[in-house]
Amino acid sequence: MCGIVGYIGNREATPLIVEGLKKLEYRGYDSAGVAVINSDNKLQIAKAKGRLANLEKELEIDGLSGVIGIGHTRWATHGVPSKLNSHPHLNTKKTIAVVHNGIIENYMELRKFLRENGYEFITDTDTEVIPNLIDFYYNGDLVEAVTEATKKLRGGYAFGVISVDEPDKLVAVRKDCPLIVGLKEGGNFIASDIPAVLNETRDVYFIEDDEIVVLTKDSVKILTEDGKEVNRDVYHVTWNADAAEKGGYDHFMLKEIFEQPKVTRDTMTSRIALGEDITLDKINLTTEQLKSFSKIYIVACGTAYHAGLIGKYAIEKLAKIPVEVDIASEFRYRDPLINEKTLLIVISQSGETADTLAAMRLAKKKGARVIAVTNVVGSTVSREADDVFYTWAGPEIAVASTKAYTTQLVAMYIIALYLAQHMKTISNSEIEELKKALIELPEKEEEILKNAEKIKKHAEKVSKENDVFYLGRGFDYAVAMEGSLKLKEISYIHSEAYAGGELKHGPIALIEDGTVVIALASQESLFEKMVSNIKEVKTRGAYVISVAMEGKTAIEDTSDEVIYLPRVNPVLAPIATVIPLQLLSYYIAIIKGCDVDKPRNLAKSVTVE
Ligand code: F6R
């Protein structure tokens, strides 16, 4: 997620902005840039692809100078990471500069409107509409122009604006993306997050949604969208920078687990709406083409592979097309049957995993059509695939994947519904019902997260184990695999996931007095069968922690502990069921003193075979 820093005051803006941007590096970025207004009242810009060190080199050459400026670290969403696409972006006349975090959903229609009014666009970004729209409305009052422009924007954003027409003002806006103001005598700051200003000040204002903030070197005014001034208490920061980067959470992993309602929402936004067809802007397949596919392969590694398993269940259930899911490192060497009638879906958070890339290239060579589900714009997978579905999870810092997995599940459901809509395999009312259930999911995720403390209390017992078993049927079996992987990765406890019905074919021999079994029973149609499987382990001495939907109290007779989930549509249940498993693994790893965010032997992006 992008980072914004801005300064207006008595000092040179550039070094303060660059120092601030360095403190936002944890948010992830692929390029950076700064704009200042110099003493000749001209906008000076420096930008660079890659690390901030590259920007610093540019700055050595360009030598920006000015006491008002804005800077940005970009995490690409619209348009590949490049110098051109990096912020700040300017209006056509080059009088207004903007840095922006978030997504402008209606940027295509705004571009069209602005083009018709003589504006030109030179980047692929959604951001470029903002300075031009402000210019369109500018009539001698920057705040008024920003206010008017903001009314035309749809999406979630925070942005900062400077203009050579009013060089004594820095204006910023927030809607659904973080924005704070740092207060200091002789100069004020805007930033996406507190660490960016902590070297300079501990006094901040939190800007709220739909507010506009106007900074001069010695004043800060917060306005509502209809221009009323707001009184805001100054918040004095007492935490250290490290804690602040993690938003007050102890670890990135916990922060990312708690971000899941937001990223679930972000991944759905602009793709599904009640009463409207599902539109996937970067998937260009006609109904005829979709009908021509006789088989779908889903190929991925690790957690992404587990998301693929859910994808198989969802696509087969909703779109009635046979799906095979494969581990990328196996797929590429097993001579898979591929031709022009094959649709390959690759899932990769990073978009750079070597085996996934190789599998994709192989399938393309044999004539398959490839859809990539990835979290990183401009990644190799996104560039080489025919079509792309971006999961808007934002950068995932913790090595163990949590929020990226949830958004991969959202992607799988939306693709399954998209296929079903084209193939007419389920009725419109069934599609609408599932869309409604999807839209309601973030609230359910929030409810589960509110119960984190209850889940924590199970961690102590499990942390003492050497082996843990996860059981599930149907969708729950795939979630059990993911739960088991999370536990292994971050707590180093050995664990296995089994399909409930498979136990008696061997693994049940491992169950003895006190063996911990985590049993998932979210699926209404399989509930009784699952209860029977739980009984099988319980009678052999297992200590059972079950996960079930609210009201399914029958499970208490066969369980030592039950974690209840709010009721969700069984097809979508994995998004709910996985959260207690992520939390449980996290709390167990904490008890064991493990390095949660950077588990031993693991890398975030596996770019070697
Ligand atoms: C586990 C985890 C890994 C990744 C796998 C694929 O928590 O993160 O199993 O899912 O290495 O990575 P991507 O999705 O980047 O291809």
Side-chain angles (χ1 to χ4, degrees), residues 330-508:
E330 289 295 312
F331 180 84
R332 59 186 289 196
Y333 294 117
R334 76 168 171 81
D335 221 354
L337 301 173
I338 300 169
N339 55 35
E340 318 65 57
K341 291 189 171 161
T342 309
L343 175 65
L344 181 88
I345 303 176
V346 286
I347 310 175
S348 175
Q349 185 282 128
S350 62
E352 302 295 346
T353 301
D355 283 318
T356 310
L357 269 171
M360 176 176 90
R361 287 174 183 152
L362 171 86
K364 277 200 84 168
K365 212 153 105 198
K366 291 188 169 189
R369 175 91 180 201
V370 178
I371 299 180
V373 174
T374 182
N375 198 34
V376 182
V377 176
S379 57
T380 312
V381 159
S382 75
R383 280 185 277 113
E384 294 190 15
D386 299 300
D387 307 276
V388 187
F389 186 116
Y390 287 113
T391 53
W392 300 126
E396 198 176 51
I397 314 276
V399 167
S401 185
T402 53
K403 63 172 182 170
Y405 170 75
T406 329
T407 58
Q408 286 162 356
L409 297 190
V410 175
M412 288 294 109
Y413 291 128
I414 294 180
I415 290 174
L417 283 170
Y418 173 78
L419 294 171
Q421 173 188 290
H422 280 271
M423 318 295 257
K424 303 206 181 314
T425 42
I426 55 173
S427 66
N428 278 345
S429 62
E430 283 170 295
I431 294 181
E432 286 301 302
E433 195 185 315
L434 276 162
K435 283 200 298 196
K436 186 166 174 292
L438 261 173
I439 291 165
E440 287 167 358
L441 261 180
E443 280 165 38
K444 312 272 173 156
E445 291 175 281
E446 268 153 20
E447 260 183 71
I448 299 168
L449 289 165
K450 276 190 201 136
N451 283 328
E453 285 299 313
K454 282 195 196 155
I455 293 160
K456 192 175 182 177
K457 78 179 188 339
H458 304 300
E460 191 66 48
K461 157 114 186 105
V462 188
S463 68
K464 300 198 175 70
E465 299 301 306
N466 291 323
D467 303 285
V468 173
F469 294 88
Y470 287 76
L471 296 185
R473 283 174 170 261
F475 282 109
D476 281 339
Y477 174 38
V479 180
M481 289 190 210
E482 176 57 10
S484 168
L485 178 64
K486 283 294 88 90
L487 186 71
K488 287 188 197 94
E489 277 182 293
I490 61 166
S491 77
Y492 316 142
I493 294 175
H494 168 251
S495 70
E496 299 284 347
Y498 288 106
E502 186 63 12
L503 266 192
K504 47 188 156 312
H505 299 287
I508 204 160

Side-chain angles (χ1 to χ4, degrees), residues 577-598:
T577 318
V578 77
I579 296 176
L581 306 189
Q582 296 166 340
L583 285 167
L584 193 60
S585 300
Y586 171 79
Y587 291 125
I588 292 166
I590 295 298
I591 292 170
K592 295 193 71 186
C594 301
D595 187 351
V596 176
D597 284 337
K598 292 196 181 75

Side-chain angles (χ1 to χ4, degrees), residues 43-346:
L43 270 172
Q44 283 188 301
I45 315 275
K47 298 182 183 189
K49 189 177 165 194
R51 312 304 295 169
L52 277 167
N54 301 350
L55 176 66
E56 286 181 297
K57 275 193 206 125
E58 293 281 328
L59 286 168
E60 275 168 28
I61 303 163
D62 295 349
L64 270 55
S65 173
V67 291
I68 169 169
I70 47 178
H72 190 261
T73 43
R74 176 174 188 249
W75 196 74
T77 58
H78 295 64
V80 295
S82 67
K83 190 166 173 172
L84 184 70
N85 286 334
S86 58
H87 301 212
H89 290 295
L90 307 183
N91 59 331
T92 306
K93 281 193 286 198
K94 304 204 182 330
T95 52
I96 299 168
V98 166
V99 286
H100 159 225
N101 171 18
I103 293 172
I104 306 300
E105 284 165 15
N106 58 336
Y107 81 104
M108 295 293 278
E109 78 196 51
L110 289 174
R111 262 187 186 225
K112 184 168 171 285
F113 166 79
L114 288 162
R115 273 204 183 105
E116 285 161 4
N117 283 282
Y119 291 88
E120 284 161 20
F121 291 87
I122 55 169
T123 76
D124 304 319
T125 66
D126 51 341
T127 306
E128 212 182 348
V129 296
I130 305 176
N132 283 310
L133 207 55
I134 294 171
D135 181 67
F136 178 80
Y137 287 110
Y138 188 70
N139 209 355
D141 185 335
L142 183 62
V143 179
E144 199 178 287
V146 171
T147 310
E148 285 311 304
T150 305
K151 286 182 190 158
K152 295 285 177 293
L153 303 176
R154 272 207 322 267
Y157 47 78
F159 61 85
V161 187
I162 54 174
S163 164
V164 295
D165 290 315
E166 297 186 36
D168 56 346
K169 241 175 241 157
L170 196 170
V171 183
V173 178
R174 172 195 161 133
K175 182 173 178 281
D176 292 337
C177 286
L179 183 70
I180 61 112
V181 170
L183 305 162
K184 188 168 183 177
E185 219 167 286
N188 295 305
F189 298 80
I190 56 160
S192 299
D193 203 353
I194 289 170
V197 300
L198 272 189
N199 273 351
E200 294 295 324
T201 178
R202 291 189 161 263
D203 289 336
V204 302
Y205 284 142
F206 291 107
I207 305 305
E208 291 181 3
D209 279 348
D210 301 314
E211 286 179 345
I212 297 174
V213 59
V214 187
L215 281 69
T216 66
K217 69 183 171 60
D218 39 33
S219 73
V220 174
K221 214 190 268 183
I222 304 172
L223 303 169
T224 62
E225 53 190 339
D226 38 2
K228 291 203 185 74
E229 200 168 335
V230 177
N231 274 329
R232 180 72 29 85
D233 291 337
V234 174
Y235 177 81
H236 185 75
V237 181
T238 49
W239 358 293
N240 62 24
D242 185 44
E245 282 176 15
K246 293 176 188 137
Y249 291 96
D250 290 340
H251 297 93
F252 282 112
M253 181 178 175
L254 192 61
K255 176 171 179 260
E256 287 160 8
I257 291 173
F258 273 81
E259 278 171 358
Q260 290 179 114
K262 177 182 184 304
V263 298
T264 300
R265 212 173 269 128
D266 288 350
T267 308
M268 286 188 287
T269 303
S270 82
R271 286 171 173 146
I272 56 166
L274 293 179
E276 286 174 28
D277 278 354
I278 296 169
T279 45
L280 303 178
D281 60 337
K282 296 206 158 31
I283 297 185
N284 300 306
L285 286 161
T286 60
T287 305
E288 286 327 298
Q289 282 171 307
L290 289 169
K291 281 187 175 155
S292 73
F293 297 127
S294 57
K295 177 170 200 159
I296 298 177
Y297 282 108
I298 303 180
V299 176
C301 303
T303 286
Y305 165 74
H306 295 153
L309 293 172
I310 305 277
K312 169 188 166 71
Y313 289 133
I315 294 172
E316 289 186 344
K317 198 171 181 71
L318 306 178
K320 322 282 184 216
I321 308 170
V323 182
E324 221 175 296
V325 193
D326 237 309
I327 292 167
S329 55
E330 289 295 312
F331 180 84
R332 59 186 289 196
Y333 294 117
R334 76 168 171 81
D335 221 354
L337 301 173
I338 300 169
N339 55 35
E340 318 65 57
K341 291 189 171 161
T342 309
L343 175 65
L344 181 88
I345 303 176
V346 286

